[in-house]
Amino acid sequence: MYDAAIEQLIQHLGKLPGLGPRSARRVVLHLIKRRESLLQPLIRALMEVSEGIQICGQCGNIDTNNPCTICSGPKRDHGTICVVEDVADLWALERTAAYRGLYHVLGGTLSALDGVGPEDLKMPMFLERARDEKVTEVVLALSATVDGQTTAHYIAERLADCDVSVTAIAHGVPVGGELDYLDEGTLSTALRARRPV
Amino acid sequence: MYDAAIEQLIQHLGKLPGLGPRSARRVVLHLIKRRESLLQPLIRALMEVSEGIQICGQCGNIDTNNPCTICSGPKRDHGTICVVEDVADLWALERTAAYRGLYHVLGGTLSALDGVGPEDLKMPMFLERARDEKVTEVVLALSATVDGQTTAHYIAERLADCDVSVTAIAHGVPVGGELDYLDEGTLSTALRARRPV
């Protein structure tokens, strides 16, 4: 029979992705044993995020500033917009440090099956943004799924009439990937996209 | 480039057992997207535990009450004390609902190698408690390791002169366990502890 406060904390932690009731119990004990060094700093960090985080009105990123640190970055290339589905994808691209432009978080992909149309995403906002004369390139970094590619085609079509180049990140063999473990789809895509060495 | 507040939260979450930087990022995004339904209730639950939890002065359990809910439980058998190493073990035994006595959390085991003596544990406190005339049985629920068994022997020896029966939980084949997957140590222990059917 646990204490009610502990029981409730286990319940809340158990709802987080990757944590079940067993690991939630482990986390709770770990936190209680380290009240000063871990539990209290964690509470402060959570409160800071809870109170300070907002969605960037321009790109849909999450940040304590609005417009976000990226949108207001003086060193970023404001002429390039990379379109992603989710903030997690934006974070993944930022970790590569290979991209210095701005972003636009759609909040999902178009999906006929799930009834997701352009109006359900931040698509109208993006199309307006992409038509700004300062924007020279739109980089599509969408999933290599049917819905992701449908969304990519939709954007390319809608921007066909304006003076912006639309590109997409390459699909192919992952770095470090062994050919005989790859699925046929990836392999045939990589083969079609072959380039002179 | 993450926001500083988000970065710090990822760092703190990444220190929890079972979570690394990758899963911490996933948890943070999950929390931010569910600020009202998950992040804020989680903060409240953490604060309640942080402010309310104390260590039971009698048995070493953690609880918002002192003495804890178990020690002050009117339906518990106050004549039986189960000795465990850690609060996690106490919780595991409570989940079985097979034990209705009290507990004593030692906070570890005796260990010659790590230089842990009786004074480093809640051992003196326990021995005093076990000598109370109301106590009729001490159940040892310690790990089946060298240190766990050394601790069990130490307790049995120290209580040999007083009127309390010292028992230990059974070692043997786990329920659902298949014989040919079991280690020799468990099997030979189970064989020695055989009982008439």
Side-chain angles (χ1 to χ4, degrees), chain A residues 76-95:
Chain A
R76 310 289 307 207
D77 169 12
H78 286 242
T80 311
I81 302 176
C82 178
V83 181
V84 292
E85 289 166 31
D86 196 274
V87 177
D89 302 334
L90 186 160
W91 287 4
L93 286 163
E94 279 299 283
R95 283 197 297 279

Side-chain angles (χ1 to χ4, degrees), chain A residues 3 35 50 53 64 86 95, chain B residues 2-3 35 50 53 64:
Chain A
D3 184 85
R35 196 193 311 205
S50 173
I53 284 296
T64 41
D86 196 274
R95 283 197 297 279
Chain B
Y2 304 139
D3 184 84
R35 198 193 309 206
S50 173
I53 283 297
T64 41

